[in-house]
């Protein structure tokens, strides 16, 4: 069997194709969750906490070429300052929780769908002596 044919069979297996679709959907879902966190959730939370912009919540560990204070993370990075980016970490942490919750809900729903309904006990059974059908509780 040629290498090209083996590779083609490997790629066309159901698991590989399913995994590829999952990765593509996952990438799109990640962008959606990032937008949800950065554009929808964090601005109102920042307003409630006194107009804090979480993307610019950072601690300067060492000043850059231009001395601080830096009002935005972009200014600190442009100056070459070393920063501890707490706000970006909080955004990623919230994204992780949302993605984890969504995956949990998806897996829970899939498991519920996969469970086969319990079969009802048969109402009749076969008599081992006369080979006729009799009610299940009969002895």
């Amino acid at each position: 069997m040629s290498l090209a044919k083996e590779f083609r069979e490997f790629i066309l297996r159901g698991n590989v194709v399913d995994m590829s679709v999952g990765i593509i959907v996952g990438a799109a879902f990640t962008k959606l969750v990032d937008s949800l966190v950065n554009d929808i959730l964090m601005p109102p939370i920042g307003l409630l906490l006194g107009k804090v912009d979480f993307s610019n919540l950072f601690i300067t560990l060492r000043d850059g070429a231009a001395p601080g204070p830096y009002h935005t993370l972009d200014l600190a990075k442009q100056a070459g300052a070393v920063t501890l980016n707490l706000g970006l970490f909080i955004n990623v942490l919230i994204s992780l929780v949302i993605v984890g919750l969504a995956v949990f809900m998806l897996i829970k729903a899939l498991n519920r769908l996969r469970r086969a309904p319990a079969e009802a006990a048969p109402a009749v059974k076969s008599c081992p002596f006369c080979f006729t059908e009799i009610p299940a509780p009969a002895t």
Side-chain angles (χ1 to χ4, degrees):
M1 185 181 272
S2 72
L3 184 62
K5 186 175 180 182
E6 285 182 61
F7 182 70
R8 190 175 134 252
E9 287 177 8
F10 171 75
I11 291 297
L12 294 178
R13 279 189 188 154
N15 293 343
V16 175
V17 174
D18 291 345
M19 185 176 67
S20 301
V21 170
I23 290 170
I24 293 167
V25 170
F29 186 70
T30 299
K31 288 181 181 180
L32 175 73
V33 169
D34 286 345
S35 178
L36 174 70
V37 170
N38 295 328
D39 303 329
I40 305 296
L41 293 179
M42 295 314 285
I45 291 172
L47 279 175
L48 290 173
L49 297 177
K51 296 188 180 182
V52 175
D53 179 7
F54 277 91
S55 63
N56 284 316
L57 181 61
F58 65 96
I59 297 172
T60 304
L61 299 176
R62 187 184 74 202
D63 283 344
Y70 309 104
H71 299 292
T72 66
L73 182 58
D74 287 335
L75 290 175
K77 285 184 178 184
Q78 287 172 0
V82 178
T83 59
L84 190 62
N85 304 323
L86 299 172
L88 296 177
F89 177 75
I90 291 170
N91 285 352
V92 170
L93 188 63
I94 291 172
S95 295
L96 174 71
V97 169
I98 291 171
V99 168
L101 181 64
V103 168
F104 170 75
M105 302 280 281
L106 177 68
I107 297 298
K108 189 173 178 178
L110 286 175
N111 285 340
R112 192 176 307 128
L113 289 175
R114 283 185 183 165
R115 272 188 236 135
E119 291 185 27
V124 294
K125 65 180 180 181
S126 180
C127 175
F129 301 106
C130 66
F131 302 106
T132 61
E133 288 187 354
I134 57 174
T139 56

